[in-house]
Amino acid sequence: MIYQGKQKIWADYQKEIPDDRWYYVRSCIRQNFFPGAEKMFMEICRNVLKKDFYESASHTTCGGIAYHCDTIPQETVMTIVARQFALMTEAGYENYVASCITSFGNYIEILETWNEFPELEAKIREMLWKACRREFNKPKYVAHASDLIYKYRNLIAERAKYRLINKNTGEPLKVVEHIGCHYSKMFPSKGVGGAEYPYVLCGMVEAWGGNVIDYPERRHCCGYGFRQYHIKANRGYSISNTHKKFESMEPYHPDMIITNCPGCPYFMDRWQYAIAEMEGKTYGENGYGIPVFTYEEVAGLVLGYDPWDLGLQLHQVAVEPLLDKMGIEYDPKRKYEGLNHKDLLKPELPGVLRCC
Amino acid sequence: MIGMIFILSYCLVALVRIIMQLPGNDRKKFFISLVTPKTMAKNIRDIFCDCLFHVKLWKRNKLLGYMHSSIAFGWFMLIVVGHIEVLLYTPHRAKLLYFPIFFRYFVAETEETMRGAFFFFLMDFFLLMVLSGIFLAMFKRIQSGVFGMRRTTNPSFLDLIGLYSLWAIFPLRLLAEGFTADISGGSFLTKSLNYVLHSFLSDHANMLPAWWAYSCALGIFLIVLPFTRYMHIPAEILLIPLRNAGIKIRNARKGLAKAEVYACPSCGLCIDACPMGVMKTHIKDTTVYLNRQIRRNNERRIEEISDKCLLCGKCTAICPVGVEGDKLRIAQRSLRKYAINQDYSGIDTDQLHVKGEKVMYFAGCMTALTPAISKAMESLLRKAGVSYSFMDRDGGICCGRPMLMAGRFDQARQMVEKNTEIIKASGADTLLLSCPICYRIFREKYRLEGIRIIHHTEYIAELIRQGRLSMDKGYTKYVFHDPCELGRGCGVYEEPREVLSYAGELVEATKNRKESICCGGSLGSLTLGFDKRKSMTENALANLTEASPDVIATACPLCRSTFVRYADRPVEDIAEIIDRNCI
Amino acid sequence: MIDFGFKISPSSAINMDNADLSLYEKVREIEPDISKCIACGSCSATCPAGRFSGMSVRKCILDLQRGKKNEVKKMLSCCMLCGKCTMVCPRGINTRHLILSICKLYKED
Amino acid sequence: MKENILIIGGGIAGLEAAAQLFRLGYNPIIVEKEDHLGGHVAGWNRLFPDMSPAEDLVARLTEAAGEANIFLNTRIAFVNKLKDSYNIMLTNGISVITRILLFATGFSLFDASKKEEYGYGVYDKVMTNRDLENWFNTGQDERIPEEGPRAMGFVHCVGSRDEKAKNPQCSKVCCITAVKQAIEMKQKFPDAMVYCFYMDLRMFGKKYEDFYISAQRDYGVRFIRGRVSEVSENIEGNLVVKAEDTLSGKPIKVTLDLLVLMSGIVCNQEICKSAAQLSLPMDSDGFLKSRDNVADIIESPKEGIFYAGACTGPKTVPETLAEARSAALEIHNYIISSRK
């Protein structure tokens, strides 16, 4: 691998991301899967970096899942998105940041479509007016939340308490980065680093001391694929794709996986359990899995937040081996203690995949 | 002596083995045929004609015929007359086989008596005849062209020993008898030689070595005979009654096949006949070499030779002893083991059924690629007012002949059964075919009782004769190429010519009818690649165009498409020509 | 082991790294013409057996080149050896010999 | 005084035209931006279809054009249009006044690194057709091990017939070049497995089809109909190449230790500037626009400006040479008729 060659490509795909004043929209599903992630994003942006991030309780889904599942027509999804933009306009913001990759892709796709077909935009404005008497300005800039963490990666590194370095060996951790498909595969120029070698997560990993692994199936989908998972008959196809990725990364012995999409960490995390049950195979060391994180969780860990406050106890694959490697202190007893200090009860442990 | 006893016992054992190897019913058939007066007479006639007089060879080339019959008949007569002599002079010794041969050595006789002189003359006459044959044989070794043979067989080592000992026998006999002539008597040849010899060698002591040399040469010849091509002498005598009994090759190596292989005299006539012969590299793939390799059990070469052949059947047609080169090869092919064995039971013939008119036209696979033929045929049938059904207008099941030629009898049989079903269900009483390849298997392997199987050339001839088609004779010069499967395969030679003569002037190719040269496109060859066939096609074309015809006519879709590729003038099927010249 | 009601399905992709080309190589030794195929499809289009089955010489050659032997067997069991494919092949491939050679060399796994 | 004719480009088209014009009694002046003559062909090793050395051709052409004025390492600085001629200032300070300009500016090889998914410049074992020719010439390239590759591939149509690469045109010569190079690699390393990934094989030229058959039959080159979708590097540093085997209708994957990208022919971007100064139009395929693409391919729409070779589109070597000769003749006719 010629690193300079990649750098040359990265240089071609850089974005001028505004520094401040963002209107933030959450993902539909992330709070259920990784409840600490979005909380940590706001925590870092607002409290650590003191930036202006606004969010509104009245925003809804962007319609992306339904759109990609072919259950609603394009006009519907566009009207939903128009309403989101109206909320942003009403709040007085011009920069729009989405937590969800599908949303990000959805917004970009819709804005590009409106550029190509202005009559469609006019039609949507009319529909939005008829539906809820709202008007909107198109955002000046649409970013994905990982773009911002990427932008702030060096600021975070400056404040870091831990680095992505194996404390025992002093070697950088081997990190698999996985980019959500809708981040830049549809519009390469809209993603940091482009579509072939996206840099957004690489940049974070590098800034925080880790080593990115470039394995053959790096580009491959996590396996979610909307319809492929939602319909049970297709689920074998979904897990086959995840399996393919793990088989491909296995020889590199990665320490962790970092992702920037709502679905990817979920499927790469949970399917490791299902694969273990189906094939009796695990991919981490000593019968554990490879822990999968969102970039916010990794930023939180690096900044020294308590793993259990980051919601890492909701991961299927045990994170403890990684915490140990990084030298992060944690209290195993607190793992299943709720915020109200009540015992959440330890879940039943799976048969094949080793968990703590 | 030893040689004679050896060869007789060997032949006897071989005879019994071959007969035992025949399948039960064939064996019965054979024995019955032996005692049936008609076949018996035919057997005897054939043995005399073929083995002694070599009638077939006489027809081919007078010198070649004379050479063979002089040796065979002369020797035979020497033996017969010798025996008569012995019988007359020393009847008590007639049981000793060797006695007649060395009669002159044992018995001193006088030519003074009329009887003696007569026998002496006969013996000398036949000896001279044999000697002239031997002389011709020697000459043939050097100049085979004179005998109408461009190329001859490359003899093996043992063949050479046999050859030289055969050559040696009769000159030595002459020498020996020459020495003894003054004691035992002789006639014009031996006596005069005796005088010549005595003029410088008067010692009778030379007598003994000469007789010894003669007996040695004869002994060697007889001992090596079973291992050389001269085995054909006894084997042919067996082959003739077997063939006359109507027995067919049923096993690649046993029974009739074995008899044929041993009956091959290695004469090499098949080398010139073989259409592959245009390329020197193929000379060793001719029937004579196949027979030699089968005798040696060289499996690799047997496979190579038998797979390469175009199965045009020309070697069979011209073989003086009747070795069936094509059938022998198909039999060898049938020995191959395949891991994938085709099975057509899945084909539903119901979807292929044709509503039956009385005449059913089956164009065949090859005709599907030469639609001009089927179009012309349909047009002719319409013009003649024949109502017909087209069995494979939308494609059908292959007739099975190509599969049969590959030696896969079981697969071919399956196709035959499927097509039989369709034809029988149609209610047709005439099956009209355009492709000689199909025609042959339909005639030979299909059991379609009550249904007339006819090739379109025959059918067209019939229609014209009946006046259902009227022709406008033009001035175009046609040459007819006899397709292998139609001519040699089915014996149809006259009808195509008759039909063509209605359309224009007919000229003949240099080699025609049963000696017609395969177009080179034959499905018979399994291994010959496309690039290797070009020179064969060109050679066949050269043969056809010697009389400068305007159009090359043929009656086979495969010949037609093969010739079209390289021909310098139009190539057409007879059906097309007739359709065009039909009023 | 738990039955989830779905399974990891095997990849449908052709992996040339572990494709078993031994049969192809053997056939190529006997009939080098096999490598001349340009996948024009004339053979399949003209094939009378193709009407009753999935027979296609083109696909047979391709499957051998990709190490897929089972499909080949299925197709070849319907061949009638009529020779039309040989006649139409623009590359002059001796398809009949090719077919017979494969039939001879084919070994069940 | 002999008439000056300025030839822009010292590749094979420029050299051939110069030689012909000199023989017709003119004074051809070649301006070449590189330090050597022969252009792309000078960097090539052997030429299809007869495998003749490119070196010999360039030497022959250079010798034939030896009498012409040749300025190496020189470009056109600017052009002044005079009444019926041009005053051309060269970067070496010389100015030329001529009535006639011949564009023999050739082409640029598509920058393969633009096809990011193939990893040229990113993966260690990916090279271009030009790199491979250079290795044939010099024997020096780290990407090719001494014992040769175990398995290698050629990717046809890299930057050709590709809207995304902004070049929808066929580059014409890559198919046959790939087949030629595949054969050459097989000659050097008979045990190597060689794959060609193609969309179509356009074997239009003299004896090209023979090359193709020979590659298949004699050298066992494996042709896979399907465009490579992506390339990745595995842990051993070898390349995992993915494509669709469109003939089987299935994705195909193969691990290779060398991948050669057949970079296509695109218009020489540098000449666009000179062309713009002379307000020469560009055709829709991105190459210089001829007066007529059928009858007058070597004439520009402007008086006194002529084209030869790949500046008007992808061309083979013999086509280029033929155009150079006909351009010389056309110029000769133009001068004669203007004298009347």
Side-chain angles (χ1 to χ4, degrees), chain A residues 1-2 5-6 9 13 196-197 216-217 219 251-252, chain D residues 116-117 119 121-122 124 230-235 242:
Chain A
M1 196 80 65
I2 306 158
K6 278 192 185 177
I9 293 171
Y13 293 99
E196 287 299 326
Y197 313 92
E217 296 295 352
R219 302 169 173 101
Y252 296 82
Chain D
E116 290 164 17
E117 61 269 38
V122 175
D124 291 321
E230 59 184 48
V231 180
S232 27
E233 218 172 65
N234 70 9
I235 194 156
K242 288 184 189 174

PDB file of all heavy atoms in Angstrom, chain A residues 1-2 5-6 9 13 196-197 216-217 219 251-252, chain D residues 116-117 119 121-122 124 230-235 242:
ATOM      1  N   MET A   1       0.843  -1.200   0.000  1.00  0.00           N
ATOM      2  CA  MET A   1       0.000   0.000   0.000  1.00  0.00           C
ATOM      3  C   MET A   1       0.880   1.252   0.000  1.00  0.00           C
ATOM      4  O   MET A   1       1.826   1.333   0.759  1.00  0.00           O
ATOM      5  CB  MET A   1      -0.901  -0.040   1.239  1.00  0.00           C
ATOM      6  CG  MET A   1      -2.060   0.899   1.192  1.00  0.00           C
ATOM      7  SD  MET A   1      -3.446   0.265   0.211  1.00  0.00           S
ATOM      8  CE  MET A   1      -3.967  -1.156   1.162  1.00  0.00           C
ATOM      9  N   ILE A   2       0.559   2.142  -0.892  1.00  0.00           N
ATOM     10  CA  ILE A   2       1.345   3.374  -0.972  1.00  0.00           C
ATOM     11  C   ILE A   2       0.549   4.492  -0.299  1.00  0.00           C
ATOM     12  O   ILE A   2      -0.459   4.955  -0.832  1.00  0.00           O
ATOM     13  CB  ILE A   2       1.645   3.728  -2.456  1.00  0.00           C
ATOM     14  CG1 ILE A   2       2.302   2.526  -3.161  1.00  0.00           C
ATOM     15  CG2 ILE A   2       2.540   4.957  -2.554  1.00  0.00           C
ATOM     16  CD1 ILE A   2       2.170   2.555  -4.658  1.00  0.00           C
ATOM     17  N   GLY A   5      -0.106   7.754  -2.051  1.00  0.00           N
ATOM     18  CA  GLY A   5      -1.114   7.659  -3.094  1.00  0.00           C
ATOM     19  C   GLY A   5      -2.489   7.972  -2.532  1.00  0.00           C
ATOM     20  O   GLY A   5      -3.292   8.682  -3.146  1.00  0.00           O
ATOM     21  N   LYS A   6      -2.743   7.450  -1.336  1.00  0.00           N
ATOM     22  CA  LYS A   6      -4.030   7.722  -0.694  1.00  0.00           C
ATOM     23  C   LYS A   6      -4.133   9.189  -0.321  1.00  0.00           C
ATOM     24  O   LYS A   6      -5.180   9.812  -0.507  1.00  0.00           O
ATOM     25  CB  LYS A   6      -4.166   6.875   0.572  1.00  0.00           C
ATOM     26  CG  LYS A   6      -4.623   5.462   0.325  1.00  0.00           C
ATOM     27  CD  LYS A   6      -5.006   4.849   1.656  1.00  0.00           C
ATOM     28  CE  LYS A   6      -5.351   3.393   1.502  1.00  0.00           C
ATOM     29  NZ  LYS A   6      -5.648   2.791   2.792  1.00  0.00           N
ATOM     30  N   ILE A   9      -5.276  11.259  -3.051  1.00  0.00           N
ATOM     31  CA  ILE A   9      -6.720  11.174  -3.294  1.00  0.00           C
ATOM     32  C   ILE A   9      -7.490  11.952  -2.214  1.00  0.00           C
ATOM     33  O   ILE A   9      -8.435  12.681  -2.517  1.00  0.00           O
ATOM     34  CB  ILE A   9      -7.163   9.702  -3.345  1.00  0.00           C
ATOM     35  CG1 ILE A   9      -6.548   9.047  -4.591  1.00  0.00           C
ATOM     36  CG2 ILE A   9      -8.684   9.584  -3.363  1.00  0.00           C
ATOM     37  CD1 ILE A   9      -6.726   7.561  -4.658  1.00  0.00           C
ATOM     38  N   TYR A  13     -10.513  15.284  -2.038  1.00  0.00           N
ATOM     39  CA  TYR A  13     -11.867  15.211  -1.476  1.00  0.00           C
ATOM     40  C   TYR A  13     -11.899  15.832  -0.075  1.00  0.00           C
ATOM     41  O   TYR A  13     -12.146  15.148   0.903  1.00  0.00           O
ATOM     42  CB  TYR A  13     -12.346  13.760  -1.391  1.00  0.00           C
ATOM     43  CG  TYR A  13     -12.565  13.104  -2.732  1.00  0.00           C
ATOM     44  CD1 TYR A  13     -11.599  12.263  -3.281  1.00  0.00           C
ATOM     45  CD2 TYR A  13     -13.749  13.307  -3.448  1.00  0.00           C
ATOM     46  CE1 TYR A  13     -11.807  11.644  -4.500  1.00  0.00           C
ATOM     47  CE2 TYR A  13     -13.966  12.689  -4.667  1.00  0.00           C
ATOM     48  CZ  TYR A  13     -12.985  11.869  -5.194  1.00  0.00           C
ATOM     49  OH  TYR A  13     -13.184  11.252  -6.398  1.00  0.00           O
ATOM     50  N   GLU A 196     -13.863   5.889  -2.551  1.00  0.00           N
ATOM     51  CA  GLU A 196     -13.010   4.711  -2.595  1.00  0.00           C
ATOM     52  C   GLU A 196     -12.173   4.561  -1.326  1.00  0.00           C
ATOM     53  O   GLU A 196     -12.013   3.464  -0.818  1.00  0.00           O
ATOM     54  CB  GLU A 196     -12.099   4.774  -3.828  1.00  0.00           C
ATOM     55  CG  GLU A 196     -12.821   4.520  -5.136  1.00  0.00           C
ATOM     56  CD  GLU A 196     -13.468   3.139  -5.195  1.00  0.00           C
ATOM     57  OE1 GLU A 196     -12.901   2.181  -4.621  1.00  0.00           O
ATOM     58  OE2 GLU A 196     -14.546   3.023  -5.807  1.00  0.00           O
ATOM     59  N   TYR A 197     -11.624   5.647  -0.866  1.00  0.00           N
ATOM     60  CA  TYR A 197     -10.804   5.604   0.350  1.00  0.00           C
ATOM     61  C   TYR A 197     -11.264   6.707   1.294  1.00  0.00           C
ATOM     62  O   TYR A 197     -10.549   7.685   1.512  1.00  0.00           O
ATOM     63  CB  TYR A 197      -9.319   5.803   0.019  1.00  0.00           C
ATOM     64  CG  TYR A 197      -8.834   4.951  -1.130  1.00  0.00           C
ATOM     65  CD1 TYR A 197      -8.846   5.437  -2.442  1.00  0.00           C
ATOM     66  CD2 TYR A 197      -8.386   3.650  -0.910  1.00  0.00           C
ATOM     67  CE1 TYR A 197      -8.433   4.650  -3.499  1.00  0.00           C
ATOM     68  CE2 TYR A 197      -7.969   2.865  -1.959  1.00  0.00           C
ATOM     69  CZ  TYR A 197      -7.993   3.362  -3.254  1.00  0.00           C
ATOM     70  OH  TYR A 197      -7.582   2.574  -4.302  1.00  0.00           O
ATOM     71  N   PRO A 216      -9.394  -6.385   2.343  1.00  0.00           N
ATOM     72  CA  PRO A 216     -10.005  -6.438   1.003  1.00  0.00           C
ATOM     73  C   PRO A 216     -11.485  -6.039   0.960  1.00  0.00           C
ATOM     74  O   PRO A 216     -11.899  -5.357   0.029  1.00  0.00           O
ATOM     75  CB  PRO A 216      -9.822  -7.907   0.591  1.00  0.00           C
ATOM     76  CG  PRO A 216      -8.619  -8.347   1.321  1.00  0.00           C
ATOM     77  CD  PRO A 216      -8.611  -7.610   2.628  1.00  0.00           C
ATOM     78  N   GLU A 217     -12.275  -6.444   1.939  1.00  0.00           N
ATOM     79  CA  GLU A 217     -13.704  -6.140   1.846  1.00  0.00           C
ATOM     80  C   GLU A 217     -14.053  -4.860   2.593  1.00  0.00           C
ATOM     81  O   GLU A 217     -15.178  -4.689   3.077  1.00  0.00           O
ATOM     82  CB  GLU A 217     -14.543  -7.323   2.355  1.00  0.00           C
ATOM     83  CG  GLU A 217     -14.398  -8.585   1.538  1.00  0.00           C
ATOM     84  CD  GLU A 217     -14.912  -8.470   0.112  1.00  0.00           C
ATOM     85  OE1 GLU A 217     -15.528  -7.433  -0.224  1.00  0.00           O
ATOM     86  OE2 GLU A 217     -14.670  -9.399  -0.677  1.00  0.00           O
ATOM     87  N   ARG A 219     -14.704  -1.994   1.582  1.00  0.00           N
ATOM     88  CA  ARG A 219     -15.786  -1.205   1.006  1.00  0.00           C
ATOM     89  C   ARG A 219     -17.151  -1.862   1.199  1.00  0.00           C
ATOM     90  O   ARG A 219     -18.164  -1.252   0.941  1.00  0.00           O
ATOM     91  CB  ARG A 219     -15.591  -1.054  -0.502  1.00  0.00           C
ATOM     92  CG  ARG A 219     -14.297  -0.425  -0.928  1.00  0.00           C
ATOM     93  CD  ARG A 219     -14.218  -0.627  -2.429  1.00  0.00           C
ATOM     94  NE  ARG A 219     -13.116   0.053  -3.071  1.00  0.00           N
ATOM     95  CZ  ARG A 219     -11.997  -0.568  -3.433  1.00  0.00           C
ATOM     96  NH1 ARG A 219     -11.824  -1.838  -3.160  1.00  0.00           N
ATOM     97  NH2 ARG A 219     -11.046   0.098  -4.051  1.00  0.00           N
ATOM     98  N   PRO A 251      -7.733 -12.084   9.109  1.00  0.00           N
ATOM     99  CA  PRO A 251      -6.279 -12.272   9.173  1.00  0.00           C
ATOM    100  C   PRO A 251      -5.515 -11.077   9.739  1.00  0.00           C
ATOM    101  O   PRO A 251      -4.359 -11.215  10.144  1.00  0.00           O
ATOM    102  CB  PRO A 251      -5.878 -12.500   7.711  1.00  0.00           C
ATOM    103  CG  PRO A 251      -7.096 -12.494   6.901  1.00  0.00           C
ATOM    104  CD  PRO A 251      -8.264 -12.201   7.752  1.00  0.00           C
ATOM    105  N   TYR A 252      -6.164  -9.920   9.786  1.00  0.00           N
ATOM    106  CA  TYR A 252      -5.467  -8.723  10.284  1.00  0.00           C
ATOM    107  C   TYR A 252      -5.549  -8.603  11.797  1.00  0.00           C
ATOM    108  O   TYR A 252      -4.936  -7.734  12.385  1.00  0.00           O
ATOM    109  CB  TYR A 252      -6.078  -7.463   9.642  1.00  0.00           C
ATOM    110  CG  TYR A 252      -5.894  -7.399   8.137  1.00  0.00           C
ATOM    111  CD1 TYR A 252      -6.745  -8.086   7.290  1.00  0.00           C
ATOM    112  CD2 TYR A 252      -4.866  -6.655   7.568  1.00  0.00           C
ATOM    113  CE1 TYR A 252      -6.588  -8.040   5.914  1.00  0.00           C
ATOM    114  CE2 TYR A 252      -4.704  -6.588   6.202  1.00  0.00           C
ATOM    115  CZ  TYR A 252      -5.564  -7.286   5.373  1.00  0.00           C
ATOM    116  OH  TYR A 252      -5.390  -7.227   4.007  1.00  0.00           O
TER     117      TYR A 252
ATOM    118  N   GLU D 116     -10.003   5.594  -9.159  1.00  0.00           N
ATOM    119  CA  GLU D 116      -9.530   5.318  -7.799  1.00  0.00           C
ATOM    120  C   GLU D 116      -9.723   3.859  -7.389  1.00  0.00           C
ATOM    121  O   GLU D 116      -8.918   3.288  -6.655  1.00  0.00           O
ATOM    122  CB  GLU D 116     -10.267   6.226  -6.824  1.00  0.00           C
ATOM    123  CG  GLU D 116      -9.851   7.671  -6.967  1.00  0.00           C
ATOM    124  CD  GLU D 116     -10.852   8.606  -6.292  1.00  0.00           C
ATOM    125  OE1 GLU D 116     -11.639   8.136  -5.472  1.00  0.00           O
ATOM    126  OE2 GLU D 116     -10.826   9.807  -6.618  1.00  0.00           O
ATOM    127  N   GLU D 117     -10.823   3.257  -7.881  1.00  0.00           N
ATOM    128  CA  GLU D 117     -11.133   1.896  -7.430  1.00  0.00           C
ATOM    129  C   GLU D 117     -10.096   0.874  -7.867  1.00  0.00           C
ATOM    130  O   GLU D 117     -10.029  -0.219  -7.326  1.00  0.00           O
ATOM    131  CB  GLU D 117     -12.520   1.483  -7.910  1.00  0.00           C
ATOM    132  CG  GLU D 117     -12.718   1.439  -9.422  1.00  0.00           C
ATOM    133  CD  GLU D 117     -13.219   2.758 -10.011  1.00  0.00           C
ATOM    134  OE1 GLU D 117     -12.774   3.827  -9.549  1.00  0.00           O
ATOM    135  OE2 GLU D 117     -14.062   2.718 -10.936  1.00  0.00           O
ATOM    136  N   GLY D 119      -6.843   1.547  -7.796  1.00  0.00           N
ATOM    137  CA  GLY D 119      -5.729   1.700  -6.862  1.00  0.00           C
ATOM    138  C   GLY D 119      -4.375   1.960  -7.493  1.00  0.00           C
ATOM    139  O   GLY D 119      -3.345   1.631  -6.904  1.00  0.00           O
ATOM    140  N   GLY D 121      -1.207   3.793  -7.987  1.00  0.00           N
ATOM    141  CA  GLY D 121      -0.577   4.767  -7.104  1.00  0.00           C
ATOM    142  C   GLY D 121      -0.899   4.527  -5.637  1.00  0.00           C
ATOM    143  O   GLY D 121      -0.346   5.168  -4.761  1.00  0.00           O
ATOM    144  N   VAL D 122      -1.837   3.612  -5.376  1.00  0.00           N
ATOM    145  CA  VAL D 122      -2.187   3.297  -3.993  1.00  0.00           C
ATOM    146  C   VAL D 122      -1.730   1.879  -3.645  1.00  0.00           C
ATOM    147  O   VAL D 122      -1.111   1.649  -2.614  1.00  0.00           O
ATOM    148  CB  VAL D 122      -3.707   3.434  -3.772  1.00  0.00           C
ATOM    149  CG1 VAL D 122      -4.087   2.981  -2.366  1.00  0.00           C
ATOM    150  CG2 VAL D 122      -4.154   4.861  -4.014  1.00  0.00           C
ATOM    151  N   ASP D 124       0.544  -1.521  -4.274  1.00  0.00           N
ATOM    152  CA  ASP D 124       1.925  -1.727  -4.709  1.00  0.00           C
ATOM    153  C   ASP D 124       2.043  -2.420  -6.067  1.00  0.00           C
ATOM    154  O   ASP D 124       3.021  -2.251  -6.762  1.00  0.00           O
ATOM    155  CB  ASP D 124       2.670  -2.577  -3.672  1.00  0.00           C
ATOM    156  CG  ASP D 124       2.885  -1.798  -2.384  1.00  0.00           C
ATOM    157  OD1 ASP D 124       3.173  -0.593  -2.487  1.00  0.00           O
ATOM    158  OD2 ASP D 124       2.731  -2.377  -1.304  1.00  0.00           O
ATOM    159  N   GLU D 230     -13.704  -3.373  -8.716  1.00  0.00           N
ATOM    160  CA  GLU D 230     -12.829  -2.815  -7.696  1.00  0.00           C
ATOM    161  C   GLU D 230     -11.669  -3.748  -7.417  1.00  0.00           C
ATOM    162  O   GLU D 230     -11.720  -4.933  -7.672  1.00  0.00           O
ATOM    163  CB  GLU D 230     -13.607  -2.538  -6.411  1.00  0.00           C
ATOM    164  CG  GLU D 230     -14.270  -3.773  -5.824  1.00  0.00           C
ATOM    165  CD  GLU D 230     -15.108  -3.461  -4.598  1.00  0.00           C
ATOM    166  OE1 GLU D 230     -15.896  -2.515  -4.672  1.00  0.00           O
ATOM    167  OE2 GLU D 230     -14.959  -4.160  -3.580  1.00  0.00           O
ATOM    168  N   VAL D 231     -10.635  -3.144  -6.880  1.00  0.00           N
ATOM    169  CA  VAL D 231      -9.424  -3.884  -6.563  1.00  0.00           C
ATOM    170  C   VAL D 231      -9.103  -3.590  -5.108  1.00  0.00           C
ATOM    171  O   VAL D 231      -9.244  -2.458  -4.654  1.00  0.00           O
ATOM    172  CB  VAL D 231      -8.259  -3.420  -7.466  1.00  0.00           C
ATOM    173  CG1 VAL D 231      -6.990  -4.185  -7.142  1.00  0.00           C
ATOM    174  CG2 VAL D 231      -8.616  -3.584  -8.933  1.00  0.00           C
ATOM    175  N   SER D 232      -8.729  -4.591  -4.354  1.00  0.00           N
ATOM    176  CA  SER D 232      -8.248  -4.318  -2.994  1.00  0.00           C
ATOM    177  C   SER D 232      -6.990  -5.126  -2.748  1.00  0.00           C
ATOM    178  O   SER D 232      -6.668  -6.038  -3.508  1.00  0.00           O
ATOM    179  CB  SER D 232      -9.323  -4.624  -1.969  1.00  0.00           C
ATOM    180  OG  SER D 232     -10.207  -5.602  -2.409  1.00  0.00           O
ATOM    181  N   GLU D 233      -6.313  -4.765  -1.684  1.00  0.00           N
ATOM    182  CA  GLU D 233      -5.059  -5.425  -1.379  1.00  0.00           C
ATOM    183  C   GLU D 233      -5.299  -6.355  -0.203  1.00  0.00           C
ATOM    184  O   GLU D 233      -5.958  -5.959   0.759  1.00  0.00           O
ATOM    185  CB  GLU D 233      -4.029  -4.359  -0.978  1.00  0.00           C
ATOM    186  CG  GLU D 233      -2.647  -4.637  -1.473  1.00  0.00           C
ATOM    187  CD  GLU D 233      -1.706  -3.466  -1.217  1.00  0.00           C
ATOM    188  OE1 GLU D 233      -1.455  -3.154  -0.031  1.00  0.00           O
ATOM    189  OE2 GLU D 233      -1.239  -2.873  -2.178  1.00  0.00           O
ATOM    190  N   ASN D 234      -4.808  -7.582  -0.280  1.00  0.00           N
ATOM    191  CA  ASN D 234      -4.987  -8.469   0.873  1.00  0.00           C
ATOM    192  C   ASN D 234      -3.772  -8.392   1.784  1.00  0.00           C
ATOM    193  O   ASN D 234      -2.858  -7.600   1.551  1.00  0.00           O
ATOM    194  CB  ASN D 234      -5.309  -9.895   0.417  1.00  0.00           C
ATOM    195  CG  ASN D 234      -4.121 -10.584  -0.237  1.00  0.00           C
ATOM    196  OD1 ASN D 234      -3.003 -10.075  -0.208  1.00  0.00           O
ATOM    197  ND2 ASN D 234      -4.371 -11.724  -0.832  1.00  0.00           N
ATOM    198  N   ILE D 235      -3.770  -9.199   2.817  1.00  0.00           N
ATOM    199  CA  ILE D 235      -2.736  -9.050   3.852  1.00  0.00           C
ATOM    200  C   ILE D 235      -1.342  -9.358   3.325  1.00  0.00           C
ATOM    201  O   ILE D 235      -0.352  -8.841   3.818  1.00  0.00           O
ATOM    202  CB  ILE D 235      -3.094  -9.919   5.094  1.00  0.00           C
ATOM    203  CG1 ILE D 235      -2.249  -9.532   6.294  1.00  0.00           C
ATOM    204  CG2 ILE D 235      -2.969 -11.408   4.771  1.00  0.00           C
ATOM    205  CD1 ILE D 235      -2.881  -9.876   7.621  1.00  0.00           C
ATOM    206  N   LYS D 242     -12.142  -7.847  -8.378  1.00  0.00           N
ATOM    207  CA  LYS D 242     -13.539  -8.263  -8.519  1.00  0.00           C
ATOM    208  C   LYS D 242     -14.095  -7.735  -9.830  1.00  0.00           C
ATOM    209  O   LYS D 242     -13.815  -6.603 -10.211  1.00  0.00           O
ATOM    210  CB  LYS D 242     -14.375  -7.695  -7.380  1.00  0.00           C
ATOM    211  CG  LYS D 242     -14.124  -8.353  -6.045  1.00  0.00           C
ATOM    212  CD  LYS D 242     -15.099  -7.760  -5.057  1.00  0.00           C
ATOM    213  CE  LYS D 242     -14.796  -8.193  -3.647  1.00  0.00           C
ATOM    214  NZ  LYS D 242     -15.677  -7.481  -2.720  1.00  0.00           N
TER     215      LYS D 242
END
